[in-house]
Amino acid sequence: MTQLTQRDAPLPTAPRHAAPRRNRSPEAAACVFGGAVAAGLGLGFLAVLVIVLWISSPYPDSGPGGALHLAAGLWLLAHGTELVRYDTLSGVPAPVGVTPLLLIALPALLMRRAARLGSASGDGSDGDEVLPAGVVFSAVLCGYLGVGCLATVYAAGGPMPADPLSAAWHVPLVAVLAAAAGVWAAKGRPLGPLPRWVPGVLRHAVVRPRYAVAVRAGTAGALSLAGGGALLVGLSLAWHGKEVEAAFLALTGVWSGRFAVLLLALALLPNAMVWGAAYALGPGFALGGGASATPLGFEGAPALPRFPLLAALPPEGPGTALTCATAALPVAAGLVVGWFAVRRAREVRRAETALTAALGALACGLLMAALAAVSGGPLGSGRLAEFGPVWWATGAAAFAWTLVPAVPLAVAVHSWRTRPLRKAAEAEEEALAADDEWHTGGGREVRWEALRRTAGTLVPDLAPPQPAPPAEPAAPPEGAPPSEGRSRRLTVVTGLGIDLSAALARPHPDPAAREGLAATASAPAAGLPPGPLPHAPAGDREPAAAAAPGAVPVPAVRPLAPPVAGARVLSRRRPAG
């Protein structure tokens, strides 16, 4: 018992990584709650709007329960889910799949904000653990999809229930894209590295700047096409102003109904922009019953409901010069793609710039195909089953229209921006060529001969350098201490005021090196007559040089300028006024 109670071995403590694990559950729960709140806010906004319209309507068809069921159906419709309308004249259920693109912005923004807030929580202080991006993404998605399942079940009891199969993949698709965008923005919008399950070729390709520039150029081109479509819609609405007003007033006579029609028209304006862009690209859009509207003509008998936006369609019949002039919009979009495809870095080659412009055109085509796919859909059964642009035809036309002007413009802009560098390179090549001509063309020898004739014997003859045979180092005499380095030979030129008497007077351990130094000092300079160096007066010689043992007597040279002693520096005065 004593051994058990009085042991000195400490008890094992809990590992340090156990504390943060206890904090992960509250953080993940907060992310789940944030996703549920994001879905609830979208539902609440539509519910309040529908309740207000129901209260202001003089002919309410159902109670507040029906209005709430309709709000849940509209929330699912905002995600792209098809609704089913049972109260039709033929008794056959009719699907409603044209999603107002403006309604998609509400749940997408709320979901993105929830993902960003979930990623920002838990900064690592006070023992809190920073949740990984995958945990935040999964938690927010679980909360949002939980509310989506409840909304789908609740909308089934209303006048326009949602198709379960359509809701099963449309709602998760919007939630996944919005949550991924929120987490990506919270992490600083990194471009890599991608997960390991992604192929290596794709992981290495994403981080290259070519693809980022191409996506930017394609997005700019798609926005240009959408803006051109909005311009076409606005001009058409102004041109058919009387027909639009008549259709708006004929739908209902009360202000609440007209307000509802106005809200629906505003929510469908992004759809009309995409349809206008598809019209300018050439494929146009379908209007049910086999009818289609293109710049070349409006063919078929469309089965159109009475609605203000549909009253602004072009007249039936062949196309005119005014409708064919809409081809200027995709050409302008192609120029935009080519302009944005040029990088700031000037070391990129022309082939790389052309490839980037082509990829930008491809990105523009993919974006327009996606917008055309979500902007259309069925408005009923039978003749109204096809309504809106064909996505694959719109995407192919956008790619072809933007590719033709984008590549030449990108190459031209690249050439213009790199023009100063090319000029500098050409100037450098010309300078190098001139330098080579100076050395190899005989100009150097002619100039040197002219200088020699003018200066006389001061300039020696320019003779080709003769390769000197390698000199063998002289062996030091026996008994002499080894020298620390090689002896340097000095060439003395008279008239420069250089006094080497002190260097020559210093005792050198190697007598042979001392003799070579003295011989070099007494050798004639190039271009000077041979002979001994001029002697200076006896008073100018340094006594230290003469007194040093073993020194070679070399006359001192008078300097070019006498030394200055006792100089006084006077400050300059600034002149007055």
Side-chain angles (χ1 to χ4, degrees), residues 345-448:
R346 295 182 176 180
E347 64 272 8
V348 182
R349 297 183 178 181
R350 295 182 182 178
E352 179 72 14
T353 302
L355 180 59
T356 305
L359 292 176
L362 179 61
C364 179
L366 293 177
L367 288 176
M368 290 306 301
L371 290 176
V374 299
S375 65
L379 277 181
S381 58
R383 302 181 64 184
L384 291 177
E386 297 179 0
F387 207 81
V390 182
W391 66 270
W392 60 268
T394 304
F399 171 68
W401 274 104
T402 55
L403 179 64
V404 174
V407 175
L409 179 66
V411 173
V413 173
H414 177 270
S415 301
W416 175 261
R417 289 183 179 179
T418 56
R419 183 171 52 92
L421 294 180
R422 292 200 310 272
K423 288 186 176 180
E426 292 175 359
E428 184 177 359
E429 292 179 359
E430 292 178 358
L432 292 176
D435 193 9
D436 294 340
E437 184 180 357
W438 166 261
H439 287 284
T440 60
R444 178 169 171 264
E445 288 77 4
V446 174
R447 184 67 180 271
W448 193 271

Side-chain angles (χ1 to χ4, degrees), residues 87-127:
D87 51 346
T88 59
L89 298 177
S90 60
V92 179
V96 178
V98 178
T99 303
L101 295 182
L102 193 61
L103 290 181
I104 298 180
L106 178 63
L109 291 177
L110 291 174
M111 185 61 174
R112 181 177 181 272
R113 181 177 179 272
R116 289 192 62 182
L117 291 179
S119 300
S121 62
D123 54 353
S125 61
D126 300 333

Side-chain angles (χ1 to χ4, degrees), residues 64-536:
L68 293 178
H69 284 86
L70 181 61
L74 289 177
W75 185 79
L76 295 173
L77 180 64
H79 292 78
T81 305
E82 291 186 1
L83 304 182
V84 182
R85 186 164 55 92
Y86 289 98
D87 51 346
T88 59
L89 298 177
S90 60
V92 179
V96 178
V98 178
T99 303
L101 295 182
L102 193 61
L103 290 181
I104 298 180
L106 178 63
L109 291 177
L110 291 174
M111 185 61 174
R112 181 177 181 272
R113 181 177 179 272
R116 289 192 62 182
L117 291 179
S119 300
S121 62
D123 54 353
S125 61
D126 300 333
D128 294 337
E129 182 183 3
V130 180
L131 293 179
V135 175
V136 175
F137 174 79
S138 302
V140 175
L141 194 62
C142 287
Y144 195 90
L145 294 182
V147 178
C149 292
L150 296 178
T152 305
V153 175
Y154 183 77
M160 296 181 64
D163 185 8
L165 295 179
S166 179
W169 72 275
H170 279 97
V171 176
L173 178 62
V174 175
V176 164
L177 294 178
V183 174
W184 182 61
K187 297 301 180 181
R189 298 179 177 87
L191 296 179
L194 294 178
R196 295 184 178 180
W197 52 267
V198 179
V201 177
L202 183 59
R203 281 191 282 114
H204 292 295
V206 168
V207 297
R208 299 188 65 177
R210 174 198 305 167
Y211 299 96
V213 176
V215 170
R216 182 189 65 178
T219 304
L223 291 177
S224 301
L225 287 174
L231 179 62
L232 288 181
V233 171
L235 293 177
S236 182
L237 288 174
W239 187 269
H240 302 86
K242 295 183 179 180
E243 292 85 350
V244 173
E245 182 181 1
F248 181 76
L249 297 177
L251 286 176
T252 180
V254 296
W255 70 269
S256 58
R258 292 177 179 176
F259 182 68
V261 172
L262 180 61
L263 290 180
L264 183 57
L266 291 177
L268 287 172
L269 271 181
N271 301 62
M273 293 168 55
V274 178
W275 294 2
Y279 181 84
L281 288 171
F285 47 88
L287 296 172
S292 60
T294 62
L296 300 179
F298 191 173
E299 301 177 354
L304 299 176
R306 183 172 294 180
F307 195 71
L309 290 179
L310 297 177
L313 292 175
E316 300 181 6
T320 61
L322 187 61
T323 58
C324 294
T326 57
L329 293 179
V331 174
L335 297 179
V336 171
V337 172
W339 178 267
F340 280 91
V342 183
R343 299 189 206 171
R344 298 294 181 185
R346 295 182 176 180
E347 64 272 8
V348 182
R349 297 183 178 181
R350 295 182 182 178
E352 179 72 14
T353 302
L355 180 59
T356 305
L359 292 176
L362 179 61
C364 179
L366 293 177
L367 288 176
M368 290 306 301
L371 290 176
V374 299
S375 65
L379 277 181
S381 58
R383 302 181 64 184
L384 291 177
E386 297 179 0
F387 207 81
V390 182
W391 66 270
W392 60 268
T394 304
F399 171 68
W401 274 104
T402 55
L403 179 64
V404 174
V407 175
L409 179 66
V411 173
V413 173
H414 177 270
S415 301
W416 175 261
R417 289 183 179 179
T418 56
R419 183 171 52 92
L421 294 180
R422 292 200 310 272
K423 288 186 176 180
E426 292 175 359
E428 184 177 359
E429 292 179 359
E430 292 178 358
L432 292 176
D435 193 9
D436 294 340
E437 184 180 357
W438 166 261
H439 287 284
T440 60
R444 178 169 171 264
E445 288 77 4
V446 174
R447 184 67 180 271
W448 193 271
E449 180 65 21
L451 290 176
R452 192 187 66 81
R453 291 180 180 180
T454 304
T457 59
L458 295 179
V459 179
D461 294 337
L462 183 63
Q466 299 294 335
E472 298 181 358
E478 298 181 358
S483 59
E484 297 180 357
R486 297 181 180 178
S487 60
R488 294 179 293 180
R489 301 176 62 88
L490 303 178
T491 302
V492 180
V493 180
T494 61
L496 298 181
I498 302 177
D499 189 4
L500 299 179
S501 57
L504 296 176
R506 187 181 300 111
H508 200 279
D510 190 359
R514 185 170 63 249
E515 294 177 0
L517 182 61
T520 305
S522 60
L528 296 178
L533 296 175
H535 294 273

